[in-house]
């Protein structure tokens, strides 16, 4: 999986917004996303998702809101679980996933956890069986709101997670 870092929300197949109990990241200006996150109380449980189908306002085929759970329980494991939930909710879309970083944890810790969750969480132990999915659904991960040094850390995490999945096979 290729990893990129950018300051602005790019065009992507899936756009993931982490939702903490205090709401969506400041970068998110979509009123529909804010309304759905509040109505469905997405931020209250780790890995709770809501999939939105944008009507052209956002440059993505799907928008996935994913809960991070209570603020006092937020750690890298919660982000791994959230990223795995996004992979599961949007696996049929695949392609490019853009993840909007927030201020919940240090960016380097977020990047590693997101990559681990996407790659390790989308692993299928039955992939050698007939009709199983062939590989993880996302070819490219774009971290929105990070720095270039974050890219190297995320790429290393992707290499380690890919190796772990090969060892599982």
């Amino acid at each position: 999986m290729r990893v990129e870092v950018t300051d602005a929300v790019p065009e992507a197949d899936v756009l993931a917004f982490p939702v903490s109990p205090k709401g969506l990241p400041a970068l998110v200006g979509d009123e529909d996303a804010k309304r759905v996150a509040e109505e469905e109380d997405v931020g209250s449980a780790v890995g709770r998702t809501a999939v939105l189908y944008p009507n052209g306002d956002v440059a993505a085929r799907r928008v996935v809101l994913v809960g991070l759970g209570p603020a006092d329980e937020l750690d890298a494991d919660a982000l791994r679980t959230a990223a795995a939930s996004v992979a599961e909710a949007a696996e049929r879309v695949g392609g490019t996933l853009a993840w909007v970083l927030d201020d919940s944890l240090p960016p380097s810790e977020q990047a590693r956890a997101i990559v681990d969750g996407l790659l390790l969480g989308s692993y299928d132990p039955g992939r050698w069986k007939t009709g199983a999915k062939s590989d993880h659904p996302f070819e490219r991960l774009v971290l929105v709101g990070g720095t270039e040094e974050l890219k190297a850390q995320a790429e290393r995490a992707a290499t380690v997670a890919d190796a772990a999945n090969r060892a599982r096979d």
Side-chain angles (χ1 to χ4, degrees):
M1 177 172 65
R2 290 183 327 200
V3 179
E4 297 174 18
V5 177
T6 184
D7 290 336
V9 177
E11 189 170 318
D13 296 300
V14 177
L15 185 55
F17 293 122
V19 183
S20 66
K22 59 185 176 184
L24 287 162
L27 188 59
V28 181
D30 188 342
E31 292 304 318
D32 286 337
K34 290 178 181 179
R35 181 182 48 77
V36 169
E38 188 176 306
E39 285 177 2
E40 296 192 17
D41 198 20
V42 174
S44 67
V46 176
R48 180 179 289 168
T49 59
V51 179
L52 305 174
Y53 300 85
N55 58 1
D57 298 338
V58 179
R61 293 172 52 199
R62 301 288 183 277
V63 173
V64 179
L65 307 177
V66 61
L68 298 179
D72 59 335
E73 297 175 16
L74 182 59
D75 59 5
D77 285 334
L79 271 172
R80 280 184 199 92
T81 301
S85 295
V86 168
E88 182 179 345
E91 71 182 343
R92 289 186 310 234
V93 178
T96 298
L97 170 70
W99 185 287
V100 178
L101 299 173
D102 64 357
D103 60 356
S104 59
L105 293 172
S108 60
E109 192 173 350
Q110 284 187 62
R112 284 192 305 271
I114 292 163
V115 169
D116 283 350
L118 287 175
L119 294 178
L120 299 176
S122 62
Y123 176 77
D124 179 14
R127 70 181 245 171
W128 302 109
K129 295 179 181 178
T130 304
K133 59 185 176 187
S134 61
D135 208 353
H136 55 82
F138 297 102
E139 301 161 5
R140 183 173 147 232
L141 170 64
V142 180
L143 298 171
V144 180
T147 61
E148 274 304 310
E149 66 186 42
L150 190 65
K151 179 181 177 182
Q153 294 170 345
E155 285 175 339
R156 179 165 168 30
T159 300
V160 171
D162 276 334
N165 282 343
R166 287 179 195 220
R168 289 167 146 179
D169 287 342

mmCIF file of all heavy atoms in Angstrom, residues 107-159:
data_model
loop_
_atom_site.group_PDB
_atom_site.id
_atom_site.type_symbol
_atom_site.label_atom_id
_atom_site.label_comp_id
_atom_site.label_asym_id
_atom_site.label_seq_id
_atom_site.Cartn_x
_atom_site.Cartn_y
_atom_site.Cartn_z
ATOM 1 N N PRO A 107 0.600 12.761 15.780
ATOM 2 C CA PRO A 107 0.425 12.305 14.397
ATOM 3 C C PRO A 107 1.181 11.021 14.064
ATOM 4 O O PRO A 107 0.658 10.166 13.354
ATOM 5 C CB PRO A 107 0.946 13.474 13.563
ATOM 6 C CG PRO A 107 0.786 14.656 14.450
ATOM 7 C CD PRO A 107 0.999 14.162 15.842
ATOM 8 N N SER A 108 2.393 10.843 14.576
ATOM 9 C CA SER A 108 3.156 9.628 14.256
ATOM 10 C C SER A 108 2.469 8.387 14.829
ATOM 11 O O SER A 108 2.418 7.345 14.181
ATOM 12 C CB SER A 108 4.592 9.732 14.770
ATOM 13 O OG SER A 108 4.601 9.894 16.176
ATOM 14 N N GLU A 109 1.926 8.503 16.027
ATOM 15 C CA GLU A 109 1.211 7.380 16.641
ATOM 16 C C GLU A 109 -0.077 7.084 15.865
ATOM 17 O O GLU A 109 -0.436 5.929 15.650
ATOM 18 C CB GLU A 109 0.904 7.723 18.098
ATOM 19 C CG GLU A 109 0.424 6.547 18.910
ATOM 20 C CD GLU A 109 0.288 6.874 20.389
ATOM 21 O OE1 GLU A 109 0.734 7.950 20.828
ATOM 22 O OE2 GLU A 109 -0.287 6.040 21.094
ATOM 23 N N GLN A 110 -0.765 8.141 15.429
ATOM 24 C CA GLN A 110 -1.976 7.963 14.626
ATOM 25 C C GLN A 110 -1.657 7.256 13.318
ATOM 26 O O GLN A 110 -2.356 6.325 12.926
ATOM 27 C CB GLN A 110 -2.611 9.317 14.297
ATOM 28 C CG GLN A 110 -3.355 9.952 15.435
ATOM 29 C CD GLN A 110 -4.086 11.190 14.976
ATOM 30 O OE1 GLN A 110 -4.966 11.103 14.115
ATOM 31 N NE2 GLN A 110 -3.732 12.337 15.531
ATOM 32 N N ALA A 111 -0.593 7.699 12.638
ATOM 33 C CA ALA A 111 -0.245 7.114 11.343
ATOM 34 C C ALA A 111 0.037 5.623 11.470
ATOM 35 O O ALA A 111 -0.465 4.814 10.685
ATOM 36 C CB ALA A 111 0.956 7.840 10.749
ATOM 37 N N ARG A 112 0.850 5.245 12.450
ATOM 38 C CA ARG A 112 1.163 3.819 12.642
ATOM 39 C C ARG A 112 -0.098 3.017 12.946
ATOM 40 O O ARG A 112 -0.317 1.938 12.400
ATOM 41 C CB ARG A 112 2.185 3.649 13.756
ATOM 42 C CG ARG A 112 3.593 4.002 13.355
ATOM 43 C CD ARG A 112 4.607 3.548 14.393
ATOM 44 N NE ARG A 112 4.335 4.052 15.727
ATOM 45 C CZ ARG A 112 4.785 5.205 16.213
ATOM 46 N NH1 ARG A 112 5.538 5.975 15.455
ATOM 47 N NH2 ARG A 112 4.495 5.578 17.438
ATOM 48 N N ALA A 113 -0.939 3.545 13.815
ATOM 49 C CA ALA A 113 -2.154 2.825 14.202
ATOM 50 C C ALA A 113 -3.120 2.680 13.025
ATOM 51 O O ALA A 113 -3.731 1.626 12.844
ATOM 52 C CB ALA A 113 -2.833 3.543 15.364
ATOM 53 N N ILE A 114 -3.251 3.714 12.221
ATOM 54 C CA ILE A 114 -4.156 3.665 11.066
ATOM 55 C C ILE A 114 -3.670 2.645 10.046
ATOM 56 O O ILE A 114 -4.440 1.831 9.544
ATOM 57 C CB ILE A 114 -4.306 5.071 10.442
ATOM 58 C CG1 ILE A 114 -5.069 5.984 11.402
ATOM 59 C CG2 ILE A 114 -4.996 5.000 9.091
ATOM 60 C CD1 ILE A 114 -4.923 7.455 11.090
ATOM 61 N N VAL A 115 -2.378 2.660 9.752
ATOM 62 C CA VAL A 115 -1.817 1.690 8.806
ATOM 63 C C VAL A 115 -1.995 0.271 9.339
ATOM 64 O O VAL A 115 -2.427 -0.633 8.611
ATOM 65 C CB VAL A 115 -0.328 1.995 8.523
ATOM 66 C CG1 VAL A 115 0.334 0.862 7.781
ATOM 67 C CG2 VAL A 115 -0.207 3.289 7.728
ATOM 68 N N ASP A 116 -1.674 0.057 10.616
ATOM 69 C CA ASP A 116 -1.851 -1.274 11.212
ATOM 70 C C ASP A 116 -3.303 -1.726 11.120
ATOM 71 O O ASP A 116 -3.590 -2.860 10.757
ATOM 72 C CB ASP A 116 -1.434 -1.271 12.685
ATOM 73 C CG ASP A 116 0.060 -1.297 12.891
ATOM 74 O OD1 ASP A 116 0.798 -1.508 11.908
ATOM 75 O OD2 ASP A 116 0.498 -1.102 14.043
ATOM 76 N N GLY A 117 -4.211 -0.847 11.474
ATOM 77 C CA GLY A 117 -5.623 -1.208 11.438
ATOM 78 C C GLY A 117 -6.103 -1.555 10.049
ATOM 79 O O GLY A 117 -6.853 -2.521 9.862
ATOM 80 N N LEU A 118 -5.665 -0.782 9.055
ATOM 81 C CA LEU A 118 -6.085 -1.055 7.676
ATOM 82 C C LEU A 118 -5.521 -2.374 7.161
ATOM 83 O O LEU A 118 -6.243 -3.194 6.589
ATOM 84 C CB LEU A 118 -5.669 0.076 6.751
ATOM 85 C CG LEU A 118 -6.438 1.372 6.866
ATOM 86 C CD1 LEU A 118 -5.814 2.434 5.975
ATOM 87 C CD2 LEU A 118 -7.895 1.166 6.498
ATOM 88 N N LEU A 119 -4.231 -2.581 7.348
ATOM 89 C CA LEU A 119 -3.592 -3.771 6.784
ATOM 90 C C LEU A 119 -3.838 -5.024 7.610
ATOM 91 O O LEU A 119 -4.176 -6.076 7.060
ATOM 92 C CB LEU A 119 -2.095 -3.533 6.603
ATOM 93 C CG LEU A 119 -1.742 -2.478 5.567
ATOM 94 C CD1 LEU A 119 -0.244 -2.278 5.495
ATOM 95 C CD2 LEU A 119 -2.288 -2.853 4.201
ATOM 96 N N LEU A 120 -3.660 -4.931 8.914
ATOM 97 C CA LEU A 120 -3.871 -6.111 9.755
ATOM 98 C C LEU A 120 -5.356 -6.423 9.925
ATOM 99 O O LEU A 120 -5.762 -7.572 9.974
ATOM 100 C CB LEU A 120 -3.206 -5.916 11.120
ATOM 101 C CG LEU A 120 -1.691 -5.716 11.102
ATOM 102 C CD1 LEU A 120 -1.171 -5.426 12.497
ATOM 103 C CD2 LEU A 120 -0.991 -6.908 10.488
ATOM 104 N N GLY A 121 -6.166 -5.360 9.970
ATOM 105 C CA GLY A 121 -7.602 -5.548 10.150
ATOM 106 C C GLY A 121 -8.313 -6.083 8.925
ATOM 107 O O GLY A 121 -9.374 -6.693 9.027
ATOM 108 N N SER A 122 -7.736 -5.878 7.748
ATOM 109 C CA SER A 122 -8.370 -6.380 6.529
ATOM 110 C C SER A 122 -7.810 -7.735 6.110
ATOM 111 O O SER A 122 -8.181 -8.256 5.062
ATOM 112 C CB SER A 122 -8.216 -5.361 5.389
ATOM 113 O OG SER A 122 -6.856 -5.157 5.082
ATOM 114 N N TYR A 123 -6.932 -8.310 6.934
ATOM 115 C CA TYR A 123 -6.371 -9.627 6.631
ATOM 116 C C TYR A 123 -7.473 -10.680 6.685
ATOM 117 O O TYR A 123 -8.307 -10.687 7.587
ATOM 118 C CB TYR A 123 -5.271 -9.979 7.637
ATOM 119 C CG TYR A 123 -4.730 -11.368 7.438
ATOM 120 C CD1 TYR A 123 -3.839 -11.644 6.415
ATOM 121 C CD2 TYR A 123 -5.130 -12.415 8.257
ATOM 122 C CE1 TYR A 123 -3.344 -12.917 6.217
ATOM 123 C CE2 TYR A 123 -4.639 -13.687 8.081
ATOM 124 C CZ TYR A 123 -3.746 -13.933 7.048
ATOM 125 O OH TYR A 123 -3.269 -15.206 6.857
ATOM 126 N N ASP A 124 -7.468 -11.563 5.710
ATOM 127 C CA ASP A 124 -8.456 -12.633 5.643
ATOM 128 C C ASP A 124 -7.731 -13.978 5.749
ATOM 129 O O ASP A 124 -7.011 -14.355 4.827
ATOM 130 C CB ASP A 124 -9.225 -12.553 4.320
ATOM 131 C CG ASP A 124 -10.261 -13.638 4.169
ATOM 132 O OD1 ASP A 124 -10.584 -14.313 5.176
ATOM 133 O OD2 ASP A 124 -10.770 -13.810 3.047
ATOM 134 N N PRO A 125 -7.901 -14.711 6.855
ATOM 135 C CA PRO A 125 -7.205 -15.986 6.993
ATOM 136 C C PRO A 125 -7.680 -17.030 5.990
ATOM 137 O O PRO A 125 -6.990 -18.010 5.742
ATOM 138 C CB PRO A 125 -7.510 -16.416 8.430
ATOM 139 C CG PRO A 125 -8.728 -15.669 8.811
ATOM 140 C CD PRO A 125 -8.719 -14.399 8.018
ATOM 141 N N GLY A 126 -8.815 -16.835 5.386
ATOM 142 C CA GLY A 126 -9.333 -17.783 4.403
ATOM 143 C C GLY A 126 -9.109 -17.331 2.975
ATOM 144 O O GLY A 126 -9.821 -17.754 2.070
ATOM 145 N N ARG A 127 -8.119 -16.474 2.764
ATOM 146 C CA ARG A 127 -7.928 -15.907 1.431
ATOM 147 C C ARG A 127 -7.540 -16.928 0.381
ATOM 148 O O ARG A 127 -7.620 -16.659 -0.804
ATOM 149 C CB ARG A 127 -6.954 -14.751 1.452
ATOM 150 C CG ARG A 127 -5.535 -15.146 1.717
ATOM 151 C CD ARG A 127 -4.648 -13.948 1.745
ATOM 152 N NE ARG A 127 -3.726 -14.049 0.634
ATOM 153 C CZ ARG A 127 -2.915 -13.124 0.239
ATOM 154 N NH1 ARG A 127 -2.917 -11.982 0.848
ATOM 155 N NH2 ARG A 127 -2.094 -13.294 -0.755
ATOM 156 N N TRP A 128 -7.097 -18.097 0.782
ATOM 157 C CA TRP A 128 -6.719 -19.128 -0.182
ATOM 158 C C TRP A 128 -7.904 -20.012 -0.554
ATOM 159 O O TRP A 128 -7.793 -20.896 -1.387
ATOM 160 C CB TRP A 128 -5.564 -19.969 0.357
ATOM 161 C CG TRP A 128 -4.385 -19.115 0.674
ATOM 162 C CD1 TRP A 128 -3.907 -18.796 1.913
ATOM 163 C CD2 TRP A 128 -3.565 -18.401 -0.251
ATOM 164 N NE1 TRP A 128 -2.848 -17.947 1.822
ATOM 165 C CE2 TRP A 128 -2.608 -17.693 0.496
ATOM 166 C CE3 TRP A 128 -3.539 -18.294 -1.637
ATOM 167 C CZ2 TRP A 128 -1.645 -16.895 -0.087
ATOM 168 C CZ3 TRP A 128 -2.562 -17.500 -2.213
ATOM 169 C CH2 TRP A 128 -1.638 -16.812 -1.454
ATOM 170 N N LYS A 129 -9.037 -19.787 0.078
ATOM 171 C CA LYS A 129 -10.238 -20.544 -0.245
ATOM 172 C C LYS A 129 -10.916 -19.964 -1.482
ATOM 173 O O LYS A 129 -10.714 -18.808 -1.837
ATOM 174 C CB LYS A 129 -11.219 -20.507 0.930
ATOM 175 C CG LYS A 129 -10.695 -21.196 2.166
ATOM 176 C CD LYS A 129 -11.706 -21.104 3.283
ATOM 177 C CE LYS A 129 -11.172 -21.776 4.527
ATOM 178 N NZ LYS A 129 -12.131 -21.648 5.628
ATOM 179 N N THR A 130 -11.765 -20.738 -2.105
ATOM 180 C CA THR A 130 -12.499 -20.286 -3.277
ATOM 181 C C THR A 130 -13.412 -19.122 -2.911
ATOM 182 O O THR A 130 -14.132 -19.166 -1.926
ATOM 183 C CB THR A 130 -13.349 -21.437 -3.849
ATOM 184 O OG1 THR A 130 -12.487 -22.529 -4.122
ATOM 185 C CG2 THR A 130 -14.064 -21.004 -5.107
ATOM 186 N N GLY A 131 -13.368 -18.066 -3.709
ATOM 187 C CA GLY A 131 -14.266 -16.930 -3.524
ATOM 188 C C GLY A 131 -13.832 -15.932 -2.479
ATOM 189 O O GLY A 131 -14.554 -14.976 -2.217
ATOM 190 N N ALA A 132 -12.670 -16.111 -1.881
ATOM 191 C CA ALA A 132 -12.208 -15.168 -0.862
ATOM 192 C C ALA A 132 -11.628 -13.922 -1.526
ATOM 193 O O ALA A 132 -11.189 -13.968 -2.673
ATOM 194 C CB ALA A 132 -11.164 -15.825 0.020
ATOM 195 N N LYS A 133 -11.625 -12.815 -0.789
ATOM 196 C CA LYS A 133 -11.015 -11.599 -1.325
ATOM 197 C C LYS A 133 -9.508 -11.822 -1.451
ATOM 198 O O LYS A 133 -8.896 -12.544 -0.671
ATOM 199 C CB LYS A 133 -11.343 -10.399 -0.466
ATOM 200 C CG LYS A 133 -10.901 -10.503 0.978
ATOM 201 C CD LYS A 133 -11.398 -9.311 1.765
ATOM 202 C CE LYS A 133 -11.026 -9.510 3.240
ATOM 203 N NZ LYS A 133 -11.581 -8.520 4.085
ATOM 204 N N SER A 134 -8.911 -11.199 -2.456
ATOM 205 C CA SER A 134 -7.523 -11.490 -2.779
ATOM 206 C C SER A 134 -6.514 -10.731 -1.916
ATOM 207 O O SER A 134 -5.442 -11.222 -1.653
ATOM 208 C CB SER A 134 -7.263 -11.174 -4.252
ATOM 209 O OG SER A 134 -7.495 -9.804 -4.485
ATOM 210 N N ASP A 135 -6.800 -9.537 -1.509
ATOM 211 C CA ASP A 135 -5.836 -8.739 -0.773
ATOM 212 C C ASP A 135 -6.574 -7.628 -0.046
ATOM 213 O O ASP A 135 -7.784 -7.489 -0.167
ATOM 214 C CB ASP A 135 -4.808 -8.156 -1.747
ATOM 215 C CG ASP A 135 -3.460 -7.901 -1.080
ATOM 216 O OD1 ASP A 135 -3.368 -8.042 0.149
ATOM 217 O OD2 ASP A 135 -2.518 -7.556 -1.791
ATOM 218 N N HIS A 136 -5.846 -6.799 0.703
ATOM 219 C CA HIS A 136 -6.515 -5.686 1.370
ATOM 220 C C HIS A 136 -7.090 -4.749 0.315
ATOM 221 O O HIS A 136 -6.546 -4.615 -0.781
ATOM 222 C CB HIS A 136 -5.577 -4.967 2.339
ATOM 223 C CG HIS A 136 -4.303 -4.472 1.741
ATOM 224 N ND1 HIS A 136 -4.219 -3.292 1.061
ATOM 225 C CD2 HIS A 136 -3.069 -5.012 1.711
ATOM 226 C CE1 HIS A 136 -2.991 -3.113 0.641
ATOM 227 N NE2 HIS A 136 -2.276 -4.145 1.012
ATOM 228 N N PRO A 137 -8.205 -4.115 0.611
ATOM 229 C CA PRO A 137 -8.939 -3.384 -0.416
ATOM 230 C C PRO A 137 -8.329 -2.052 -0.851
ATOM 231 O O PRO A 137 -8.676 -1.547 -1.903
ATOM 232 C CB PRO A 137 -10.298 -3.140 0.239
ATOM 233 C CG PRO A 137 -10.028 -3.156 1.695
ATOM 234 C CD PRO A 137 -8.893 -4.123 1.889
ATOM 235 N N PHE A 138 -7.427 -1.489 -0.073
ATOM 236 C CA PHE A 138 -6.929 -0.160 -0.398
ATOM 237 C C PHE A 138 -5.513 -0.215 -0.951
ATOM 238 O O PHE A 138 -4.632 -0.818 -0.371
ATOM 239 C CB PHE A 138 -6.995 0.759 0.824
ATOM 240 C CG PHE A 138 -8.401 0.961 1.292
ATOM 241 C CD1 PHE A 138 -8.890 0.293 2.394
ATOM 242 C CD2 PHE A 138 -9.254 1.794 0.587
ATOM 243 C CE1 PHE A 138 -10.205 0.455 2.800
ATOM 244 C CE2 PHE A 138 -10.571 1.963 0.984
ATOM 245 C CZ PHE A 138 -11.042 1.291 2.093
ATOM 246 N N GLU A 139 -5.333 0.430 -2.100
ATOM 247 C CA GLU A 139 -4.024 0.486 -2.744
ATOM 248 C C GLU A 139 -3.217 1.683 -2.265
ATOM 249 O O GLU A 139 -1.996 1.685 -2.338
ATOM 250 C CB GLU A 139 -4.200 0.596 -4.259
ATOM 251 C CG GLU A 139 -4.961 -0.555 -4.859
ATOM 252 C CD GLU A 139 -5.508 -0.227 -6.229
ATOM 253 O OE1 GLU A 139 -5.232 0.864 -6.763
ATOM 254 O OE2 GLU A 139 -6.231 -1.071 -6.764
ATOM 255 N N ARG A 140 -3.907 2.712 -1.787
ATOM 256 C CA ARG A 140 -3.255 3.972 -1.437
ATOM 257 C C ARG A 140 -3.930 4.568 -0.208
ATOM 258 O O ARG A 140 -5.149 4.595 -0.112
ATOM 259 C CB ARG A 140 -3.374 4.912 -2.633
ATOM 260 C CG ARG A 140 -2.708 6.223 -2.493
ATOM 261 C CD ARG A 140 -2.779 6.978 -3.843
ATOM 262 N NE ARG A 140 -2.874 8.389 -3.595
ATOM 263 C CZ ARG A 140 -3.777 9.198 -4.099
ATOM 264 N NH1 ARG A 140 -4.700 8.737 -4.906
ATOM 265 N NH2 ARG A 140 -3.774 10.470 -3.818
ATOM 266 N N LEU A 141 -3.111 5.049 0.727
ATOM 267 C CA LEU A 141 -3.593 5.737 1.917
ATOM 268 C C LEU A 141 -3.048 7.158 1.886
ATOM 269 O O LEU A 141 -1.849 7.362 1.727
ATOM 270 C CB LEU A 141 -3.107 5.030 3.189
ATOM 271 C CG LEU A 141 -3.337 5.766 4.513
ATOM 272 C CD1 LEU A 141 -4.825 5.928 4.806
ATOM 273 C CD2 LEU A 141 -2.635 5.043 5.650
ATOM 274 N N VAL A 142 -3.938 8.135 2.022
ATOM 275 C CA VAL A 142 -3.532 9.539 2.080
ATOM 276 C C VAL A 142 -3.884 10.051 3.474
ATOM 277 O O VAL A 142 -5.048 10.047 3.864
ATOM 278 C CB VAL A 142 -4.241 10.390 1.005
ATOM 279 C CG1 VAL A 142 -3.792 11.840 1.102
ATOM 280 C CG2 VAL A 142 -3.989 9.832 -0.379
ATOM 281 N N LEU A 143 -2.859 10.456 4.215
ATOM 282 C CA LEU A 143 -3.060 11.021 5.545
ATOM 283 C C LEU A 143 -3.194 12.536 5.386
ATOM 284 O O LEU A 143 -2.280 13.199 4.902
ATOM 285 C CB LEU A 143 -1.890 10.666 6.457
ATOM 286 C CG LEU A 143 -1.706 9.168 6.693
ATOM 287 C CD1 LEU A 143 -0.399 8.905 7.416
ATOM 288 C CD2 LEU A 143 -2.878 8.595 7.452
ATOM 289 N N VAL A 144 -4.326 13.065 5.782
ATOM 290 C CA VAL A 144 -4.619 14.491 5.607
ATOM 291 C C VAL A 144 -4.295 15.228 6.899
ATOM 292 O O VAL A 144 -4.829 14.902 7.950
ATOM 293 C CB VAL A 144 -6.098 14.714 5.236
ATOM 294 C CG1 VAL A 144 -6.386 16.197 5.051
ATOM 295 C CG2 VAL A 144 -6.465 13.928 3.997
ATOM 296 N N GLY A 145 -3.396 16.207 6.784
ATOM 297 C CA GLY A 145 -3.047 17.014 7.938
ATOM 298 C C GLY A 145 -1.739 16.612 8.578
ATOM 299 O O GLY A 145 -1.467 16.986 9.711
ATOM 300 N N GLY A 146 -0.904 15.870 7.878
ATOM 301 C CA GLY A 146 0.377 15.434 8.424
ATOM 302 C C GLY A 146 1.546 16.110 7.739
ATOM 303 O O GLY A 146 1.374 16.960 6.879
ATOM 304 N N THR A 147 2.743 15.700 8.131
ATOM 305 C CA THR A 147 3.970 16.246 7.559
ATOM 306 C C THR A 147 4.668 15.174 6.732
ATOM 307 O O THR A 147 4.316 13.996 6.807
ATOM 308 C CB THR A 147 4.917 16.716 8.676
ATOM 309 O OG1 THR A 147 5.253 15.580 9.482
ATOM 310 C CG2 THR A 147 4.270 17.783 9.540
ATOM 311 N N GLU A 148 5.682 15.565 5.995
ATOM 312 C CA GLU A 148 6.420 14.617 5.163
ATOM 313 C C GLU A 148 7.149 13.562 5.991
ATOM 314 O O GLU A 148 7.302 12.434 5.563
ATOM 315 C CB GLU A 148 7.408 15.351 4.245
ATOM 316 C CG GLU A 148 6.781 15.817 2.956
ATOM 317 C CD GLU A 148 6.128 14.716 2.135
ATOM 318 O OE1 GLU A 148 6.755 13.675 1.879
ATOM 319 O OE2 GLU A 148 4.967 14.904 1.747
ATOM 320 N N GLU A 149 7.628 13.932 7.191
ATOM 321 C CA GLU A 149 8.304 12.937 8.027
ATOM 322 C C GLU A 149 7.322 11.854 8.480
ATOM 323 O O GLU A 149 7.716 10.724 8.732
ATOM 324 C CB GLU A 149 8.993 13.580 9.219
ATOM 325 C CG GLU A 149 8.042 14.213 10.218
ATOM 326 C CD GLU A 149 8.738 14.979 11.316
ATOM 327 O OE1 GLU A 149 9.710 15.695 11.006
ATOM 328 O OE2 GLU A 149 8.303 14.863 12.471
ATOM 329 N N LEU A 150 6.060 12.209 8.543
ATOM 330 C CA LEU A 150 5.029 11.243 8.894
ATOM 331 C C LEU A 150 4.899 10.167 7.819
ATOM 332 O O LEU A 150 4.614 9.007 8.126
ATOM 333 C CB LEU A 150 3.700 11.987 9.071
ATOM 334 C CG LEU A 150 2.543 11.229 9.665
ATOM 335 C CD1 LEU A 150 2.865 10.857 11.098
ATOM 336 C CD2 LEU A 150 1.298 12.084 9.627
ATOM 337 N N LYS A 151 5.144 10.532 6.585
ATOM 338 C CA LYS A 151 5.054 9.588 5.470
ATOM 339 C C LYS A 151 6.028 8.434 5.651
ATOM 340 O O LYS A 151 5.658 7.275 5.466
ATOM 341 C CB LYS A 151 5.318 10.310 4.150
ATOM 342 C CG LYS A 151 5.268 9.400 2.951
ATOM 343 C CD LYS A 151 5.549 10.155 1.677
ATOM 344 C CE LYS A 151 5.567 9.188 0.509
ATOM 345 N NZ LYS A 151 5.890 9.849 -0.741
ATOM 346 N N ALA A 152 7.263 8.727 6.028
ATOM 347 C CA ALA A 152 8.268 7.679 6.223
ATOM 348 C C ALA A 152 7.861 6.733 7.350
ATOM 349 O O ALA A 152 8.011 5.514 7.231
ATOM 350 C CB ALA A 152 9.626 8.307 6.516
ATOM 351 N N GLN A 153 7.311 7.279 8.424
ATOM 352 C CA GLN A 153 6.879 6.445 9.541
ATOM 353 C C GLN A 153 5.706 5.550 9.130
ATOM 354 O O GLN A 153 5.641 4.380 9.492
ATOM 355 C CB GLN A 153 6.493 7.321 10.728
ATOM 356 C CG GLN A 153 7.666 8.073 11.299
ATOM 357 C CD GLN A 153 7.246 9.127 12.307
ATOM 358 O OE1 GLN A 153 6.074 9.498 12.390
ATOM 359 N NE2 GLN A 153 8.207 9.616 13.071
ATOM 360 N N ALA A 154 4.787 6.105 8.366
ATOM 361 C CA ALA A 154 3.630 5.325 7.914
ATOM 362 C C ALA A 154 4.055 4.250 6.910
ATOM 363 O O ALA A 154 3.534 3.132 6.944
ATOM 364 C CB ALA A 154 2.585 6.246 7.292
ATOM 365 N N GLU A 155 4.994 4.566 6.028
ATOM 366 C CA GLU A 155 5.479 3.563 5.071
ATOM 367 C C GLU A 155 6.173 2.413 5.789
ATOM 368 O O GLU A 155 6.012 1.257 5.423
ATOM 369 C CB GLU A 155 6.434 4.211 4.060
ATOM 370 C CG GLU A 155 5.721 5.054 3.028
ATOM 371 C CD GLU A 155 6.660 5.792 2.102
ATOM 372 O OE1 GLU A 155 7.848 5.993 2.470
ATOM 373 O OE2 GLU A 155 6.204 6.167 1.004
ATOM 374 N N ARG A 156 6.934 2.742 6.820
ATOM 375 C CA ARG A 156 7.585 1.683 7.610
ATOM 376 C C ARG A 156 6.539 0.815 8.287
ATOM 377 O O ARG A 156 6.650 -0.404 8.306
ATOM 378 C CB ARG A 156 8.524 2.303 8.640
ATOM 379 C CG ARG A 156 9.210 1.246 9.508
ATOM 380 C CD ARG A 156 10.369 1.780 10.269
ATOM 381 N NE ARG A 156 10.978 1.026 11.304
ATOM 382 C CZ ARG A 156 11.085 -0.273 11.446
ATOM 383 N NH1 ARG A 156 10.563 -1.069 10.578
ATOM 384 N NH2 ARG A 156 11.685 -0.837 12.458
ATOM 385 N N ALA A 157 5.520 1.423 8.849
ATOM 386 C CA ALA A 157 4.448 0.656 9.484
ATOM 387 C C ALA A 157 3.747 -0.248 8.461
ATOM 388 O O ALA A 157 3.390 -1.391 8.767
ATOM 389 C CB ALA A 157 3.434 1.593 10.137
ATOM 390 N N ALA A 158 3.581 0.239 7.223
ATOM 391 C CA ALA A 158 2.961 -0.568 6.165
ATOM 392 C C ALA A 158 3.840 -1.767 5.812
ATOM 393 O O ALA A 158 3.335 -2.872 5.597
ATOM 394 C CB ALA A 158 2.700 0.286 4.925
ATOM 395 N N THR A 159 5.137 -1.556 5.762
ATOM 396 C CA THR A 159 6.062 -2.653 5.469
ATOM 397 C C THR A 159 5.989 -3.718 6.557
ATOM 398 O O THR A 159 5.927 -4.921 6.268
ATOM 399 C CB THR A 159 7.509 -2.113 5.351
ATOM 400 O OG1 THR A 159 7.539 -1.151 4.301
ATOM 401 C CG2 THR A 159 8.486 -3.222 5.051
#
